Amino acid sequence: MIKNNKRLAAKLGASLLAVSLSCSAFAVSIVSFNGPAGEAYIGKFISGIKDTAALKGYKIDVYENQFSQAEQDQQVQQVLAAGVLPDVFVWWPSDAVAGLGSLRALAKTGVPVLKINQLPNDQDKQYIFGFAGPDDRLRARNAGLMMVEAAKAAKAAGQTSFNVVAVTYPQSYGGYGLSINAFNDAIEGSDLTLIGEVDEGFGQANGYKGAAKVIAKLRNEGIDFVYGMDDAILTGALKAFEEAGYEMGKDVIAVGTVCNGDRQLIEEGKQYGTTLQSPLHEGQLVIKMVEEYMANGKLENYLNFTPNPSVTAANMETVALKGYDGKAYTIEELCSGAWTN
């Protein structure tokens, strides 16, 4: 009788273990609030987060806004009003300050919130369990160091003027302050001097308008270098410089970040370099962090960054990164701009 009970207990234990494993493998549901898929970087981010969620058997709903915090706030209200809550919210605010009310509303539901792309600040860190995304400081620092490298080469060739202008994100955007401060730190002590900046906004059109303004304002002082807070902005800026009569790569040396511009600009020497911020990795990292949180109830690291190597004409054919899915990706697959041959 005792032996039979032991056998029964063993069978029940095995059954309970199977049920437990089955429950732990149950699909996680995620709601992600982010910008539009039509923008190249965000489009690849969405591919990364959706494909990796599918790989893990997770359900994910993505709400896109057109870089409008008001639109994103409305989407949050609609999701909360529906009354069907996910296991995790993913929060990429259009404006971290203006969107604080919506983030607070998400957190009040009791559903954990992962902030992405823009680093946590003193106001919002109490509402999130962690961060996943790019290191704004590192990418700007790498851009600054590349510019210092380019300036040294220019000086060796006889150049005597090293004035820099910057075309940037809006100053209200979370990554602006971190980026401009890190860039300034990187060029400190070199011959480079930042003489002006303009924060017209995201994308090529705003980069063009912003550069036209800064050229008109500072041309007489001499502009020798231009730093783009991302390559999409920089691509528009370079067009404005060329229309103003500058020969890029000769009269003005350009350095960008994010790798969402045009490969041809680097190949032709119009842009000295950029840094590889992979949106595919960013999307994959989000799911990796959700998986870790759901398994442990916390993250090992509160801040989790994607890699950010520098890219120039000298190494662009050999740069590759391993994804969080274990696959190796070439630069053409990782850059979000016009990088396919």
Side-chain angles (χ1 to χ4, degrees):
M1 183 68 175
I2 294 174
K3 288 182 179 179
N4 288 337
N5 285 342
K6 284 183 177 179
R7 291 193 190 99
L8 179 60
K11 288 180 179 179
L12 286 172
S15 298
L16 288 171
L17 177 60
V19 171
S20 174
L21 290 173
S22 176
C23 288
S24 67
F26 186 76
V28 173
S29 61
I30 303 167
V31 168
S32 177
F33 297 98
N34 47 251
E39 196 278 329
Y41 185 94
I42 298 174
K44 284 203 171 185
F45 162 80
I46 291 174
S47 294
I49 195 172
K50 283 187 172 181
D51 291 348
T52 313
L55 188 67
K56 297 293 181 181
Y58 295 172
K59 177 181 182 294
I60 185 165
D61 293 309
V62 174
Y63 290 84
E64 305 172 29
N65 73 85
Q66 301 299 314
F67 299 114
S68 166
Q69 190 56 54
E71 181 184 3
Q72 191 171 54
D73 291 342
Q74 186 177 39
Q75 291 170 343
V76 169
Q77 292 169 14
Q78 290 171 347
V79 169
L80 297 184
V84 181
L85 297 177
D87 295 305
V88 178
F89 284 120
V90 173
W91 180 242
W92 180 344
S94 181
D95 185 316
V97 176
L100 187 62
S102 286
L103 174 58
R104 187 184 299 113
L106 294 176
K108 281 184 176 180
T109 65
V111 175
V113 183
L114 177 68
K115 189 178 183 184
I116 61 172
N117 196 264
Q118 298 180 55
L119 278 172
N121 55 53
D122 290 338
Q123 288 73 43
D124 65 20
K125 61 185 179 183
Q126 62 184 305
Y127 302 117
I128 62 177
F129 67 83
F131 167 83
D135 188 334
D136 294 308
R137 294 185 184 93
L138 178 60
R139 74 181 190 197
R141 177 181 179 274
N142 286 343
L145 293 177
M146 274 192 288
M147 189 170 283
V148 170
E149 178 184 89
K152 288 179 179 177
K155 186 175 183 178
Q159 186 166 320
T160 58
S161 180
F162 301 91
N163 290 334
V164 184
V165 297
V167 285
T168 77
Y169 295 138
Q171 292 191 18
S172 62
Y173 190 72
Y176 165 81
L178 298 169
S179 296
I180 200 68
N181 290 337
F183 176 79
N184 279 323
D185 288 346
I187 67 172
E188 186 176 0
S190 72
D191 292 308
L192 297 163
T193 302
L194 182 64
I195 63 170
E197 58 180 279
V198 61
D199 65 336
E200 194 72 22
F202 301 99
Q204 292 187 28
N206 285 321
Y208 177 87
K209 288 190 293 184
K213 289 179 181 179
V214 82
I215 290 168
K217 182 179 179 181
L218 298 173
R219 183 165 199 156
N220 290 339
E221 292 188 38
I223 300 173
D224 310 294
F225 294 82
V226 57
Y227 159 54
M229 205 162 275
D230 80 28
D231 290 323
I233 299 172
L234 183 62
T235 299
L238 297 190
K239 181 180 178 182
F241 272 95
E242 288 186 320
E243 289 183 1
Y246 291 90
E247 183 178 346
M248 300 310 302
K250 183 177 179 181
D251 300 325
V252 175
I253 296 172
V255 172
T257 63
V258 182
C259 207
N260 61 343
D262 191 334
R263 172 193 186 105
Q264 190 172 343
L265 293 173
I266 296 180
E267 289 178 330
E268 295 178 353
K270 294 181 178 181
Q271 181 176 340
Y272 183 82
T274 187
T275 64
L276 175 52
Q277 178 180 311
S278 164
L280 181 71
H281 278 72
E282 189 172 349
Q284 292 178 346
L285 180 61
V286 168
I287 300 302
K288 184 175 185 291
M289 294 300 97
V290 168
E291 181 181 35
E292 180 181 330
Y293 182 84
M294 294 303 293
N296 304 315
K298 63 178 182 179
L299 298 182
E300 181 178 355
N301 299 306
Y302 184 72
L303 300 177
N304 302 273
F305 296 117
T306 53
N308 189 253
S310 298
V311 179
T312 65
N315 72 351
M316 63 191 298
E317 297 297 337
T318 57
V319 173
L321 289 176
K322 188 176 182 179
Y324 294 105
D325 58 358
K327 299 178 182 178
Y329 292 91
T330 67
I331 192 170
E332 292 181 2
E333 296 172 291
L334 298 176
C335 287
S336 52
W339 275 76
T340 303
N341 276 330

